[in-house]
Amino acid sequence: MKKYLYFVIATLVLTSCSKEEKPIVVTAENYHQTVDKITDIMVHDIFSPPVASRIYAYSNLAAYQIMRQENKDLIDFTSKFEELKPIPEADTTANINFKLAALVAKMEIGKKLIFSENVLTTYRDSLYTKWKKTNEVEFNSSKDYGLAVARHLSAWIDKDNYKETRTMPKYSVYSDDPARWQPTPPSYMDGIEPHWPKIRPFTLDSASQFKPAPHPEFSLKKGTAFYDELIEVYEIKNEMERKGDESEEMKIAQFWDCNPYVSTQRGHLMFATKKITPGGHWMGICKIASKKAGLDFAQSSYAYTTTAIALADGFISCWDEKYRSNLVRPETLINKLIDDNWKPVLQTPPFPEYSSGHSVVSGAASIVLTRIFGDDFHFEDDTEVKYGLPVRTFTSFSHAANEAAISRLYGGIHYRSAVENGIIQGRNLGNHVVENLNIKPLTY
């Protein structure tokens, strides 16, 4: 009997020890899932495209900075960003799982910046329970380090002027100038984020560093460049209607809509149709490329972080021009001058026309992704499947960016100059991000 008891006790002790020593496995797929979870919450919370880009940049940067503690070959961004100090050093005597700590910091920063904290907390706690059950000692030391890094970065994040812009005055729309932007149907919302150029950028010297070429001088006189571009928007939609809903132009416009502010009116009720932002779409493309290339956790973090920084600086650059030029949207002029019943294919988003935000950030993101994955990276883009749209195939990131840009003309929400000059603006900015951060291709 005693021998049996000794055997049972010894078995329990060995089982307990082996359970404690079992390492916690955190994979690249866990990283992708966390990015997706934050995206889903932002769609639910209806974040504007600029604000969403800020969340992507900071949450991914938190994870990336921790991964540098494990992989010193990764580029150190600390000296690149204004007032950013090195994160706390990891205790080499502690049993720290850097991948786990990276996700802890990423989720903690994400939770700080979103509205629906409870959703991310529930997701986080499900991971915590699994990790803790696998190895409590490793989990606790890794979590503590991740939280310490998140606290360190939070202090820096709080100094980027975002909180100050929340109390600044709304954009004034009262003007007799016909060239000036006016709210558009159906919601007639105020201009979104008029003070976004005041947000601290990541790599830019100033918000106006990549100021685009000017749009054609405003004129409603037939034969002028501006009037011709206005008529082009009107005629393109007429041609698309003749071709029908299955036209390639219609498919492109709908695929790249990415407007989180779409409102639908039924009788006296108006409700929002929630969609992904342009930045969210490009983060989705980053995920597709990372998975196709088989990137590991650290490499995926690198790709997401550099892409997110390009997107964030792209929105700062674009919004600087939008509220400087304050250009009226095609819908406003077409309704006033040509056809008061005309509606664009896509719903006009609530901010000035020039330059095209999707064109700018698509150009910027495509440059960074091309640098990481190569010029001729073929991929199938299924980012919009969950929003009811089919998969589209692209031969390169540049191909996708060009299509995203022209979709704004097909959608009837931008003039040609906003599209063509916008993607140049974005690519110039993207090249700057690549050079400033010394982004290198990944071997995979």
Side-chain angles (χ1 to χ4, degrees), residues 267-323:
H268 297 292
L269 296 177
M270 183 170 289
F271 57 92
T273 301
K274 298 179 180 182
K275 295 186 179 183
I276 200 169
T277 63
H281 193 132
W282 279 98
M283 293 300 279
I285 290 174
C286 181
K287 179 184 76 171
I288 292 164
S290 298
K291 293 179 80 167
K292 180 178 179 180
L295 300 192
D296 62 22
F297 188 101
Q299 291 173 322
S300 296
S301 174
Y302 176 73
Y304 278 117
T305 303
T306 51
T307 301
I309 289 168
L311 291 168
D313 276 357
F315 277 111
I316 291 172
S317 176
C318 181
W319 253 242
D320 177 69
E321 179 58 40
K322 280 186 179 295
Y323 285 96

Side-chain angles (χ1 to χ4, degrees), residues 96-334:
I96 294 178
N97 180 323
F98 288 101
K99 297 180 182 67
L100 191 159
L103 287 187
V104 168
K106 178 177 173 57
M107 289 186 288
E108 194 67 18
I109 294 298
K111 188 161 65 74
K112 169 188 172 71
L113 302 176
I114 59 175
F115 297 147
S116 299
E117 295 181 29
N118 61 311
V119 179
L120 188 54
T121 298
T122 300
Y123 173 75
R124 179 203 67 185
D125 289 349
S126 69
L127 293 176
Y128 279 9
T129 299
K130 181 178 69 174
W131 291 336
K132 187 174 183 178
K133 189 179 296 184
T134 302
N135 189 322
E136 187 171 356
V137 173
E138 181 182 347
F139 166 71
N140 286 333
S141 60
S142 304
K143 184 185 77 168
D144 289 346
Y145 181 59
L147 293 176
V149 171
R151 286 192 297 271
H152 171 86
L153 290 174
S154 290
W156 173 68
I157 291 169
D158 286 342
K159 297 177 182 178
D160 74 350
N161 252 356
Y162 178 78
K163 290 181 179 178
E164 290 76 1
T165 61
R166 300 308 91 187
T167 60
M168 291 178 182
K170 292 183 178 181
Y171 173 71
S172 176
V173 299
Y174 300 103
S175 173
D176 293 329
D177 184 353
R180 187 180 171 92
W181 177 81
Q182 295 291 316
T184 50
S187 299
Y188 295 95
M189 293 176 64
D190 291 332
I192 295 299
E193 299 296 343
H195 305 291
W196 200 252
K198 297 180 177 69
I199 298 293
R200 178 188 61 206
F202 287 88
T203 70
L204 302 177
D205 296 334
S206 69
S208 60
Q209 184 175 352
F210 290 96
K211 183 179 177 180
H215 59 76
E217 182 179 359
F218 180 82
S219 174
L220 299 179
K221 184 178 179 180
K222 292 182 179 180
T224 59
F226 182 86
Y227 187 81
D228 286 348
E229 288 197 4
L230 174 65
I231 294 302
E232 181 184 28
V233 175
Y234 177 72
E235 292 180 343
I236 281 176
K237 190 204 173 184
N238 291 342
E239 179 61 25
M240 289 170 62
E241 287 180 339
R242 282 193 288 271
K243 291 181 178 179
D245 290 343
E246 292 304 308
S247 71
E248 188 65 6
E249 293 88 349
M250 183 66 75
K251 292 176 182 177
I252 290 171
Q254 292 174 339
F255 184 78
W256 293 101
D257 186 8
C258 304
N259 181 359
Y261 291 107
V262 172
S263 299
T264 302
Q265 190 163 1
R266 291 181 181 171
H268 297 292
L269 296 177
M270 183 170 289
F271 57 92
T273 301
K274 298 179 180 182
K275 295 186 179 183
I276 200 169
T277 63
H281 193 132
W282 279 98
M283 293 300 279
I285 290 174
C286 181
K287 179 184 76 171
I288 292 164
S290 298
K291 293 179 80 167
K292 180 178 179 180
L295 300 192
D296 62 22
F297 188 101
Q299 291 173 322
S300 296
S301 174
Y302 176 73
Y304 278 117
T305 303
T306 51
T307 301
I309 289 168
L311 291 168
D313 276 357
F315 277 111
I316 291 172
S317 176
C318 181
W319 253 242
D320 177 69
E321 179 58 40
K322 280 186 179 295
Y323 285 96
R324 177 176 34 248
S325 57
N326 270 316
L327 188 60
V328 64
R329 288 278 183 169
E331 183 173 14
T332 301
L333 293 179
I334 291 173

